[in-house]
Amino acid sequence: MGNREMEELIPLVNRLQDAFSALGQSCLLELPQIAVVGGQSAGKSSVLENFVGRDFLPRGSGIVTRRPLVLQLVTSKAEYAEFLHCKGKKFTDFDEVRHEIEAETDRVTGMNKGISSIPINLRVYSPHVLNLTLIDLPGITKVPVGDQPPDIEYQIREMIMQFITRENCLILAVTPANTDLANSDALKLAKEVDPQGLRTIGVITKLDLMDEGTDARDVLENKLLPLRRGYVGVVNRSQKDIDGKKDIKAAMLAERKFFLSHPAYRHIADRMGTPHLQKVLNQQLTNHIRDTLPNFRNKLQGQLLSIEHEVEGYKNFKPEDPTRKTKALLQMVQQFAVDFEKRIEGSGDQVDTLELSGGAKINRIFHERFPFEIVKMEFNEKELRREISYAIKNIHGIRTGLFTPDMAFEAIVKKQIVKLKGPSLKSVDLVIQELINTVKKCTKKLANFPRLCEETERIVANHIREREGKTKDQVLLLIDIQVSYINTNHEDFIGFAKYVKHLIAACIPPVIRKGWLTISNIGIMKGGSKGYWFVLTAESLSWYKDDEEKEKKYMLPLDNLKVRDVEKSFMSSKHIFALFNTEQRNVYKDYRFLELACDSQEDVDSWKASLLRAGVYPDKSLTENDENGQAENFSMDPQLERQVETIRNLVDSYMSIINKCIRDLIPKTIMHLMINNVKDFINSELLAQLYSSEDQNTLMEESAEQAQRRDEMLRMYQALKEALVIIGDINTATTFTPAPPPVDDSWIQHSRRSPPPSPTTQRRPTLSAPLPRPASGRGPAPAIPSPGPHSGAPPVPFRPGPLPPFPSSSSSGGGSSDWFGAPPQVPSRPTRAPPKYLACPLPSRPTQLL
């Protein structure tokens, strides 16, 4: 891939990232980091500066980079730099950037060569860069100096490994040409994290400083100590050039001239230098981008489909069109009516799985909550029997009645019917509350128009409150109707005559109560109390092994029995009452008392009331001191008690009829007067009342949040469409470059024990023109450009901005075969004794030339 292809790719990728930046979102297309690894003074910082096109990194001898520098390049119209530790401060002078890096390094590491793994974060904004991250790492060293710790080698190694272990990191192994490449620690580190060699590129620096008569030709041709992606030779500025303020543009021209004029390198000059290193990195970037695009495209298409339906309604939006507001108001009111009816009547759309709401909750009120409220009206049995006794005695007056008066029955029944008003009115309140909650849920779809939402809620809620009064009046009327006439001829009412006939015909006393009780005093002797299932009738108290009532344990007649309380033991959580015989006889076997235990005092009082109905009264000695003389007024006359028991059973019979009727009529009344009426009001009158309440323009005024959301959705829709188009353009504008085949790089692992021969070659000094090499010495030799008298050296490329672009490989005079293809043949001439080399990974980042 040439630089022209990358120059076309840069604006496409930047457009893709800008499309998402405009929406405040980060682009999912992440570009690789480029880490520079190498020894001290290997030229790592110079390589980075050549990429950026600016002179901004500290320079010197020894260890200069003592903290990782994470350099983020950001495409921008203006050119400046920012440090993370100096937020808000922009550096336009890159000399100041260098001074700030030096000062920040000294603040953490001190002035005496100390190191730290805390990175310095620098952002450089420029119109000539691609959004990339470059990492300048400290040089590998083994001997501590100054304030450096004894384990300096281990610390720097771990620092480097933190960055290069990432699969998204390209490794530049930078090595000076005058060191031993075979013993390169940088290449060893790269080999550990990149065993396939797909992310490692060797960089040979300081080729201009080699001894006279030596060169690195075999290494640069990847014939000696090969790497899968080979080596690139570069020539950086010397310290003299830096001190003389030689700019990077002039240094790049000098580098180009060096390779074109050197007899050992001019045939591969188009594959040497910083421009070619940038081209190699561009290949990696392009391959990475093309590999990422399919998944990226799928994500974008999924987002586009998810918002397309909503955006469809925004495409033809005209804020000032009056017909739009009229149409929108009509549609929203109709939709509100549909949603309300669906929530009341039930629908398969948008089913709530978390809680009951709408019609389901109202149904629960009708058939569970309202009947429960009726049943919850627990009668105080003792008080009710006393009221019946008083009613009978007051009706008889001074006379002693021989028959049970029906007026006492009517008086007691009417009093019990009136008590149903409370549960009935409460059910109305519960339904009203649920209707208002349903209205609020349905108006959530109107939230884009705040005034319309508020007015709709207000109008419907006011109508519900109006219907509340009428519905409650009708409910009370139903209760009063039941009170007005006691129909003792009802087919389900047992009646006086039927009740007596029933008792005679059945020959079995009616069951008054059933339940679990514990016989506490008998269980103590047998090792513990035991629970039984008790059945109380008007004649006896029986208990069974369990509630199936198959195995009867005992039947105790109620004759001459009375009940009294037993003081609760401090070791027991049970509440106890006892049965005893008034004639001092044993109640059960050899026991004078039968102590029965319940879990709560309420259960004790309930059982005592049931025993009272069966004719088992409290001990007289316990009732003599009752408050207000109630015990004195409570007659123990057996005839009166039979009359009380008769009326009590008749009241139960009639109230069961009334309860059944009320449970049926109250839900129907609420449904007709409240729920159906509200539905009809929303369908027929809501729109008219909205028009009469406020001006249409006021009602249909959008909220600021809705306008912002519409704009954001439209922008996102356009950005997604544009991103998909750009992805198609990237696929069209780029080609995939396959990775070169693997090479035998086992020399990296065994270099410590058997280092290979040095890559440099002794050569005789050349004259004005280099002598051509015989073809038989190396096999087919690459074509060497031979400048004629009129041709001269190829023109030095020119690049706009801080660093002008260099021409593609075709601009050089020599032929340029794909040196990433099959490895060249091993030369047949005798091996020469070259000088030592050291290869170190060096992070680099393509920017301007990308």
Side-chain angles (χ1 to χ4, degrees):
M1 179 192 68
N3 284 341
R4 174 179 296 179
E5 186 175 325
M6 197 62 192
E7 289 172 359
E8 295 176 358
L9 179 61
I10 290 173
L12 292 176
V13 174
N14 287 338
R15 279 175 55 199
L16 192 61
Q17 292 172 328
D18 291 341
F20 286 88
S21 298
L23 298 175
Q25 298 182 2
S26 60
C27 183
L28 301 178
L29 185 61
E30 297 181 358
L31 298 182
Q33 295 180 342
I34 302 171
V36 184
V37 184
Q40 294 182 12
S41 302
K44 303 184 302 298
S45 298
S46 296
V47 174
L48 280 182
E49 287 181 336
N50 290 343
F51 288 161
V52 180
R54 286 287 187 173
D55 188 0
F56 66 97
L57 293 175
R59 311 300 290 269
S61 60
I63 184 168
V64 177
T65 304
R66 294 181 284 135
R67 290 176 60 184
L69 176 66
V70 179
L71 176 61
Q72 293 178 288
L73 301 184
V74 182
T75 305
S76 174
K77 294 181 179 180
E79 190 170 29
Y80 61 94
E82 285 183 346
F83 286 94
L84 183 62
H85 62 272
C86 298
K87 291 184 178 179
K89 183 177 181 181
K90 295 182 179 181
F91 295 80
T92 56
D93 185 351
F94 282 81
D95 288 335
E96 294 183 8
V97 174
R98 181 190 306 108
H99 297 324
E100 181 59 31
I101 293 174
E102 293 172 346
E104 178 63 17
T105 300
D106 292 340
R107 275 194 287 269
V108 175
T109 64
M111 305 288 291
N112 194 16
K113 305 297 183 182
I115 67 167
S116 172
S117 61
I118 302 174
I120 298 174
N121 291 275
L122 171 64
R123 284 187 179 180
V124 174
Y125 297 82
S126 173
H128 311 294
V129 300
L130 182 65
N131 294 340
L132 290 177
T133 300
L134 304 173
I135 306 168
D136 189 15
L137 296 167
I140 301 173
T141 185
K142 298 183 181 299
V143 180
V145 297
D147 292 336
Q148 294 177 358
D151 60 342
I152 181 67
E153 180 183 6
Y154 173 78
Q155 289 191 19
I156 293 179
R157 173 188 169 89
E158 291 301 310
M159 192 186 308
I160 294 173
M161 294 295 283
Q162 289 177 8
F163 293 95
I164 67 175
T165 51
R166 303 169 186 169
E167 289 296 326
N168 203 31
C169 180
L170 301 181
I171 306 169
L172 291 187
V174 180
T175 305
N178 51 6
T179 57
D180 188 359
L181 180 65
N183 293 324
S184 171
D185 289 327
L187 286 177
K188 289 180 181 297
L189 293 178
K191 178 71 173 177
E192 288 183 22
V193 299
D194 181 31
Q196 301 299 323
L198 295 174
R199 298 190 287 121
T200 305
I201 301 172
V203 180
I204 305 298
T205 62
K206 302 185 180 182
L207 291 168
D208 55 331
L209 301 181
M210 294 182 66
D211 294 338
E212 186 176 356
T214 61
D215 59 59
R217 175 175 173 174
D218 288 347
V219 172
L220 294 177
E221 289 180 347
N222 210 32
K223 295 178 180 179
L224 192 61
L225 309 180
L227 290 177
R228 185 167 186 174
R229 293 199 177 273
Y231 300 88
V232 178
V234 296
V235 176
N236 297 324
R237 294 177 298 169
S238 65
Q239 191 61 43
K240 181 180 179 181
D241 294 334
I242 295 171
D243 296 339
K245 303 298 182 182
K246 184 177 182 179
D247 62 11
I248 294 177
K249 178 180 177 181
M252 299 283 278
L253 296 176
E255 178 189 49
R256 179 66 172 168
K257 183 178 180 181
F258 171 81
F259 285 112
L260 289 173
S261 61
H262 198 287
Y265 308 133
R266 63 184 177 184
H267 69 290
I268 55 173
D270 59 325
R271 302 199 299 270
M272 294 294 110
T274 303
H276 181 72
L277 179 59
Q278 291 173 331
K279 184 166 67 172
V280 173
L281 292 174
N282 290 345
Q283 290 177 346
Q284 294 290 89
L285 292 175
T286 304
N287 288 349
H288 175 84
I289 291 172
R290 289 179 63 89
D291 290 342
T292 309
L293 286 183
N295 289 336
F296 188 49
R297 182 194 294 111
N298 293 338
K299 292 180 181 178
L300 295 183
Q301 288 175 341
Q303 292 182 17
L304 188 66
L305 291 175
S306 65
I307 67 173
E308 195 164 16
H309 179 72
E310 183 176 355
V311 170
E312 194 64 32
Y314 296 148
K315 288 182 178 179
N316 301 321
F317 180 78
K318 298 178 181 179
E320 304 304 327
D321 186 2
T323 59
R324 180 196 65 81
K325 294 184 177 180
T326 302
K327 182 179 178 181
L329 177 60
L330 180 60
Q331 289 177 341
M332 290 189 175
V333 172
Q334 289 176 344
Q335 186 62 44
F336 172 77
V338 170
D339 291 343
F340 183 82
E341 185 158 359
K342 282 183 177 180
R343 287 185 175 272
I344 296 299
E345 300 296 337
S347 170
D349 302 340
Q350 300 176 353
V351 178
D352 188 353
T353 59
L354 300 179
E355 62 177 357
L356 290 179
S357 61
K361 194 166 185 178
I362 293 175
N363 178 72
R364 185 178 182 182
I365 293 172
F366 285 163
H367 301 293
E368 294 183 22
R369 187 68 183 271
F370 179 50
F372 173 74
E373 292 293 334
I374 293 177
V375 173
K376 198 169 67 173
M377 295 189 311
E378 296 180 356
F379 301 125
N380 187 327
E381 186 67 27
K382 188 175 181 179
E383 185 66 25
L384 179 60
R385 297 180 72 88
R386 183 179 289 114
E387 289 177 1
I388 294 173
S389 174
Y390 290 162
I392 293 174
K393 295 176 72 174
N394 288 332
I395 289 172
H396 287 159
I398 197 171
R399 298 180 300 277
T400 301
L402 299 177
F403 304 101
T404 304
D406 55 354
M407 294 180 61
F409 163 76
E410 286 196 11
I412 298 299
V413 165
K414 288 180 179 180
K415 188 174 181 180
Q416 299 302 319
I417 294 175
V418 170
K419 291 181 179 180
L420 294 174
K421 290 183 178 181
S424 300
L425 295 178
K426 186 174 182 179
S427 66
V428 175
D429 292 335
L430 292 174
V431 171
I432 289 173
Q433 185 60 47
E434 185 55 33
L435 286 176
I436 293 177
N437 291 340
T438 303
V439 170
K440 290 181 178 179
K441 291 178 181 179
C442 293
T443 54
K444 286 182 179 179
K445 293 186 177 180
L446 310 179
N448 297 336
F449 304 94
R451 287 299 305 157
L452 176 62
C453 181
E454 292 175 7
E455 282 300 301
T456 303
E457 279 191 30
R458 182 186 65 81
I459 292 173
V460 178
N462 287 344
H463 182 75
I464 291 175
R465 293 301 179 189
E466 291 176 4
R467 301 305 302 176
E468 176 185 4
K470 296 181 181 180
T471 304
K472 286 186 175 180
D473 290 344
Q474 183 65 28
V475 167
L476 294 177
L477 179 61
L478 289 175
I479 304 297
D480 292 339
I481 289 173
Q482 296 295 338
V483 173
S484 64
Y485 179 67
I486 306 301
N487 183 15
T488 55
N489 288 326
H490 194 282
E491 59 184 2
D492 295 332
F493 181 57
I494 191 172
F496 287 91
K498 293 180 182 179
Y499 177 70
V500 174
K501 291 180 180 179
H502 169 74
L503 294 180
I504 296 174
C507 296
I508 300 176
V511 176
I512 298 175
R513 185 185 178 108
K514 297 181 179 182
W516 289 96
L517 288 173
T518 301
I519 302 179
S520 59
N521 59 329
I522 298 177
I524 293 175
M525 301 180 182
K526 294 184 178 181
S529 57
K530 190 173 182 180
Y532 294 97
W533 179 257
F534 280 76
V535 177
L536 175 64
T537 66
E539 297 180 358
S540 65
L541 177 65
S542 304
W543 57 91
Y544 298 81
K545 180 180 179 180
D546 50 39
D547 54 2
E548 294 182 1
E549 300 182 12
K550 293 182 179 179
E551 183 179 347
K552 182 183 288 188
K553 293 294 184 180
Y554 194 78
M555 185 179 72
L556 176 66
L558 300 182
D559 297 337
N560 300 321
L561 291 184
K562 287 192 176 183
V563 62
R564 72 177 185 182
D565 293 327
V566 177
E567 185 177 354
K568 179 181 177 182
S569 172
F570 73 96
M571 297 182 63
S572 174
S573 60
K574 299 283 187 178
H575 298 265
I576 304 174
F577 64 94
L579 296 176
F580 66 96
N581 193 290
T582 56
E583 298 179 355
Q584 302 300 319
R585 296 180 180 177
N586 293 338
V587 176
Y588 173 65
K589 295 183 179 180
D590 296 332
Y591 300 100
R592 288 289 183 92
F593 298 93
L594 182 64
E595 294 184 359
L596 303 176
C598 302
D599 291 332
S600 65
Q601 185 62 41
E602 290 77 7
D603 290 341
V604 172
D605 295 340
S606 179
W607 272 101
K608 289 168 66 176
S610 299
L611 289 168
L612 191 64
R613 291 179 56 187
V616 179
Y617 304 113
D619 187 8
K620 188 175 182 179
S621 61
L622 299 177
T623 60
E624 289 178 351
N625 298 325
D626 283 357
E627 294 181 358
N628 301 324
Q630 292 180 1
E632 295 177 3
N633 299 327
F634 194 79
S635 174
M636 294 297 184
D637 181 11
Q639 182 180 352
L640 179 61
E641 287 305 317
R642 284 193 296 272
Q643 294 177 353
V644 169
E645 183 65 24
T646 299
I647 291 179
R648 176 67 183 88
N649 286 286
L650 294 177
V651 169
D652 277 347
S653 175
Y654 195 81
M655 285 306 298
S656 66
I657 298 171
I658 297 299
N659 289 343
K660 184 185 297 184
C661 181
I662 292 298
R663 284 201 304 268
D664 180 62
L665 287 178
I666 295 301
K668 292 178 178 179
T669 302
I670 296 174
M671 192 70 192
H672 175 69
L673 296 178
M674 176 74 67
I675 298 174
N676 289 342
N677 185 274
V678 171
K679 289 195 297 184
D680 294 340
F681 171 81
I682 292 174
N683 286 315
S684 60
E685 300 183 31
L686 175 59
L687 184 61
Q689 293 206 19
L690 284 172
Y691 272 117
S692 63
S693 64
E694 282 196 39
D695 178 67
Q696 175 181 314
N697 293 329
T698 304
L699 285 174
M700 299 306 296
E701 184 176 347
E702 274 189 319
S703 64
E705 293 79 6
Q706 170 61 13
Q708 181 181 357
R709 174 173 175 77
R710 183 180 64 253
D711 294 341
E712 288 179 354
M713 294 299 292
L714 290 173
R715 285 201 305 270
M716 178 176 288
Y717 183 77
Q718 294 300 327
L720 291 172
K721 290 184 65 177
E722 181 182 359
L724 290 172
V725 172
I726 294 172
I727 289 174
D729 293 342
I730 292 176
N731 280 329
T732 304
T734 60
T735 57
F736 181 80
T737 304
V743 297
D744 182 10
D745 56 0
S746 59
W747 60 270
I748 299 178
Q749 301 174 359
H750 303 91
S751 60
R752 288 292 183 188
R753 288 174 288 184
S754 56
S758 176
T760 58
T761 305
Q762 290 288 341
R763 300 185 188 277
R764 289 179 296 176
T766 59
L767 300 177
S768 59
L771 297 176
R773 298 174 182 271
S776 60
R778 284 182 175 265
I784 302 176
S786 58
H790 303 289
S791 63
V796 178
F798 177 82
R799 174 171 70 180
L803 186 59
F806 283 80
S808 64
S809 60
S810 62
S811 64
S812 72
S816 122
S817 60
D818 186 3
W819 64 292
F820 288 110
Q825 297 177 0
V826 179
S828 59
R829 57 191 174 89
T831 306
R832 297 177 296 277
K836 296 182 178 179
Y837 275 83
L838 173 63
C840 304
L842 189 42
S844 158
R845 164 191 84 181
T847 57
Q848 299 170 349
L849 291 182
L850 294 179

